[in-house]
């Protein structure tokens, strides 16, 4: 898949653990390392949380919160292993909360609306506007008909996460990730008009 | 092809393509592909489907991603805020865990948790305030040549507050808010024109109406108060400009003698 960094099974901040005496001093290096991780992961994260079905502005706020949480996470000495998986897991959970909150808000406001159906600002569905061919329309229809967890597996894989990371983010087994991806791609392939045995 | 070398399953082919198989099994599948046109065709179809999915995914979302510069600057400012107010964030870590102090740790836990909760609350409040303040390197504030007499004219220029749509758009873009709802923000002057602020983009920022307690309506109250004070001679114009540009929330607290916005 595109955008998969080489040797990207995990991302770790290289900072050495500091002695306790250094805890009260400023850590500009930690800030710059969090910013560096933001530079690497901001767009993949934004795409992923948008695909969950929240608005662009909400997605931007979720991503900000994720990296502030990351700073606190590392600052208090929690594990630095597989920070990419950690960042996506936090983003996933925050985006789901945000989506629920928006649904409640919309429900209170006008009693209607699935936020996921209006996820892309500013138009109600610009993705739909961009579909130029029947083939792509079919793909989109199949994609939307997939169970939410299957879609999430696809989107996370599309952003370069390995199966283990996807399993951690979505709290499912490694085997379930593999089965989900296989099943989803088979469905997409049928929509894609392929006639091979792949199914 | 032999009976001992069956076609790999769809799932195995995907695992192989994604580099998720053991090296031994992956080598076995590669060897199988070398002799099996049918499986290579299936693999090619799989890659085509993945490519089409990625294209669909990216073409729908990439055009919507705001520029990173604004959010990046905002994150830096918030991290700096956290770091500045962060003196030993985890007091529990500093406590020796030796056996002789175990009892003391247990007895102190409740107190420490209460202290941590207070720190967290203070940090959250601080973050809420920082979100209401413009990013300093994007909006440091800018003034036009104006005297006290100019800003205290009885009839202010009605056009002075108008921000052209093109400038508004630039402000939103610089803050990474290209797709934000326009009615959720006021593109506001950091130093209001009534206090000599200019229309330079360095003096403009998107201020949320309701995202925070310290919203655009509250700042409007401060601007009115400072204008009154400048014009009745109790505050000089330069100080008013400096205070509102440095930290308008601190200025509000200073000139209203209040720690939180006064109910309108």
């Amino acid at each position: 898949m595109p955008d998969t960094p080489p040797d990207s099974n995990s991302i770790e901040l290289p900072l050495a653990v500091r002695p306790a005496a250094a805890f009260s001093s400023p850590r500009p290096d930690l800030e710059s390392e969090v910013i560096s991780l933001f530079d690497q992961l901001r767009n993949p994260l934004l795409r992923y949380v948008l695909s969950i079905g929240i608005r662009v502005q909400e997605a931007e706020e979720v991503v900000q919160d994720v990296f502030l949480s990351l700073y606190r996470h590392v600052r208090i000495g929690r594990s630095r292993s597989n920070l990419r998986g950690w960042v996506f897991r936090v983003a996933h959970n925050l985006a789901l909360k945000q989506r629920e909150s928006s649904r409640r808000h919309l429900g209170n406001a006008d009693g209607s609306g699935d936020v996921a159906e209006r996820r892309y600002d500013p138009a109600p569905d610009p993705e739909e506007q961009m579909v130029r061919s029947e083939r792509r329309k079919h793909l989109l229809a199949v994609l939307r008909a997939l169970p939410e967890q299957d879609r999430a597996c696809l989107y996370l894989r599309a952003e370069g996460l390995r199966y283990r990371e996807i399993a951690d983010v979505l709290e499912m087994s490694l085997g379930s990730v593999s089965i989900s991806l296989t099943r989803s791609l088979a469905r997409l392939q049928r929509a894609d008009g392929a006639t091979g045995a792949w199914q | 092809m032999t009976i001992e070398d069956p076609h790999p399953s769809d799932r195995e082919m995907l695992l192989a393509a994604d580099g998720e198989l053991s090296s031994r099994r992956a080598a076995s599948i590669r060897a199988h592909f070398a002799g099996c046109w049918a499986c290579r065709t299936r693999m090619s179809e799989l890659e085509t489907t993945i490519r089409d999915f990625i294209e669909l995914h990216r073409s729908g979302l990439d055009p919507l991603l705001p520029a990173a510069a604004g959010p990046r600057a905002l994150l830096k400012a918030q991290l700096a805020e956290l770091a500045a107010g962060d003196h030993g964030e985890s007091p529990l870590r500093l406590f020796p865990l030796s056996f002789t102090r175990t009892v003391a740790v247990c007895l102190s836990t409740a107190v420490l948790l209460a202290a941590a909760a207070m720190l967290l609350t203070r940090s959250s409040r601080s973050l809420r305030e920082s979100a209401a303040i413009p990013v300093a390197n994007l909006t440091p504030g800018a003034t036009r040549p104006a005297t006290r007499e100019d800003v205290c004219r009885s009839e202010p220029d009605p056009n002075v507050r108008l921000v052209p749509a093109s400038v508004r758009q630039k402000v939103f873009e610089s803050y990474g808010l290209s797709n934000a709802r326009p009615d959720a923000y006021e593109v506001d002057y950091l130093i209001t024109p009534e206090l000599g602020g200019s229309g330079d983009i360095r003096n403009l920022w998107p201020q949320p109406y309701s995202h925070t307690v310290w919203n655009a309506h509250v700042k409007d109250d401060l601007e009115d108060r400072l204008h009154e004070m400048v014009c009745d001679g109790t505050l000089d114009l330069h100080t008013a400009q400096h205070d509102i540009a440095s930290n308008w929330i601190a200025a509000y607290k200073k000139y209203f003698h209040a720690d939180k916005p006064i109910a309108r």
Side-chain angles (χ1 to χ4, degrees):
Chain A
M1 298 249 179
D3 271 10
T4 305
D7 192 23
S8 60
N9 283 329
S10 65
I11 293 178
E12 296 189 23
L13 295 180
L15 261 185
V17 176
R18 291 179 167 216
F23 262 65
S24 60
S25 61
R27 286 181 159 193
D29 45 354
L30 177 54
E31 291 168 55
S32 60
E33 286 170 15
V34 171
I35 289 292
S36 171
L37 212 49
F38 174 87
D39 292 340
Q40 291 177 53
L41 296 179
R42 183 255 189 180
N43 282 0
L45 270 180
L46 261 185
R47 277 194 297 265
Y48 178 65
V49 296
L50 282 170
S51 73
I52 284 177
I54 61 176
R55 294 175 179 277
V56 173
Q57 179 60 25
E58 294 167 340
E60 199 78 82
E61 289 173 4
V62 163
V63 171
Q64 290 278 320
D65 286 345
V66 166
F67 284 97
L68 291 173
S69 298
L70 173 65
Y71 175 87
R72 295 190 192 98
H73 174 85
V74 178
R75 180 75 175 81
I76 61 175
R78 297 261 172 84
S79 170
R80 292 162 185 258
S81 67
N82 190 17
L83 287 179
R84 180 173 63 174
W86 187 92
V87 158
F88 270 90
R89 187 167 69 248
V90 173
H92 175 86
N93 293 334
L94 288 177
L96 287 182
K97 278 185 186 174
Q98 180 61 53
R99 189 179 67 182
E100 280 309 303
S101 169
S102 298
R103 279 180 173 162
R104 279 198 302 274
H105 177 71
L106 283 174
N108 292 338
D110 58 21
S112 67
D114 176 358
V115 175
E117 291 300 314
R118 295 196 292 268
R119 64 183 187 228
Y120 300 129
D121 281 343
D125 195 354
E127 186 180 66
E128 190 82 65
Q129 295 170 6
M130 296 181 138
V131 173
R132 296 281 185 264
S133 68
E134 287 300 312
R135 182 161 152 270
R136 296 186 75 197
K137 278 183 183 172
H138 288 152
L139 266 184
L140 189 56
V142 171
L143 190 58
R144 286 180 168 169
L146 290 176
E148 181 166 16
Q149 192 170 61
D150 286 352
R151 275 204 310 272
C153 282
L154 274 177
Y155 290 135
L156 287 169
R157 186 70 191 99
E159 300 306 341
L161 271 69
R162 307 309 303 257
Y163 287 24
R164 171 62 64 196
E165 293 172 304
I166 297 171
D168 286 346
V169 172
L170 301 178
E171 295 180 336
M172 55 198 291
S173 72
L174 205 55
S176 297
V177 172
S178 168
I179 291 169
S180 166
L181 288 171
T182 307
R183 181 173 56 223
S184 299
L185 286 171
R187 290 180 180 175
L188 287 172
Q189 189 165 31
R190 284 197 289 274
D192 216 11
T195 56
W198 177 263
Q199 55 187 342
Chain B
M1 189 70 50
T2 66
I3 286 178
E4 291 76 26
D5 187 21
H7 298 298
S9 68
D10 298 339
R11 189 178 162 199
E12 274 193 311
M13 289 178 69
L14 181 59
L15 286 166
D18 283 347
E20 298 280 351
L21 283 180
S22 68
S23 55
R24 185 173 178 178
R25 183 60 188 143
S28 166
I29 287 181
R30 277 197 303 274
H32 178 88
F33 280 179
C36 182
W37 282 11
C39 283
R40 293 213 314 256
T41 301
R42 287 168 59 207
M43 180 58 86
S44 171
E45 289 168 356
L46 165 63
E47 297 290 1
T48 299
T49 300
I50 291 172
R51 191 188 64 227
D52 289 347
F53 164 66
I54 290 291
E55 185 186 333
L56 183 72
H57 180 55
R58 293 290 176 85
S59 65
L61 295 176
D62 281 355
L64 304 175
L65 302 185
R72 189 179 192 277
L74 182 60
L75 178 63
K76 280 187 83 169
Q78 294 193 101
L79 288 175
E81 180 87 14
L82 270 179
D86 194 9
H87 300 293
E89 187 171 0
S90 180
L92 283 170
R93 279 178 60 88
L94 304 179
F95 228 97
L97 295 177
S98 64
F99 177 77
T100 55
R101 292 199 173 180
T102 301
V103 175
V105 168
C106 291
L107 291 174
S108 303
T109 298
V111 175
L112 292 171
L113 286 175
M118 287 176 63
L119 279 172
L120 187 62
T121 303
R122 197 164 62 192
S123 171
S124 299
R125 184 166 63 232
S126 178
L127 277 179
R128 284 198 297 274
E129 291 187 7
S130 69
I133 296 173
V135 177
N137 60 359
L138 295 175
T139 313
T143 56
R144 66 183 193 277
T147 63
R148 175 176 169 275
E149 289 68 33
D150 293 331
V151 301
C152 296
R153 280 196 194 119
S154 55
E155 293 184 6
D157 181 350
N159 294 321
V160 76
R161 289 197 69 93
L162 291 179
V163 180
S166 59
V167 177
R168 285 174 57 87
Q169 186 57 34
K170 280 183 184 173
V171 173
F172 276 103
E173 285 172 5
S174 70
Y175 273 81
L177 298 170
S178 305
N179 295 300
R181 293 197 319 276
D183 60 352
Y185 295 86
E186 174 184 358
V187 173
D188 199 11
Y189 294 85
L190 178 56
I191 302 172
T192 181
E194 285 79 6
L195 290 172
S198 79
D200 190 297
I201 192 169
R202 291 172 302 164
N203 193 41
L204 295 166
W205 61 296
Q207 188 181 21
Y209 272 116
S210 57
H211 185 67
T212 162
V213 173
W214 297 97
N215 57 42
H217 299 299
V218 177
K219 183 165 179 290
D220 289 345
D221 290 344
L222 172 67
E223 291 166 358
D224 291 344
R225 167 64 65 93
L226 292 181
H227 188 257
E228 285 172 14
M229 293 177 73
V230 167
C231 294
D232 68 18
T234 55
L235 183 68
D236 72 85
L237 179 59
H238 178 75
T239 302
Q241 291 172 341
H242 172 270
D243 287 356
I244 200 170
S246 299
N247 184 329
W248 73 264
I249 293 175
Y252 184 99
K253 293 174 180 175
K254 176 180 175 183
Y255 292 107
F256 279 91
H257 306 291
D259 281 337
K260 59 184 181 181
I262 296 169
R264 292 158 66 93

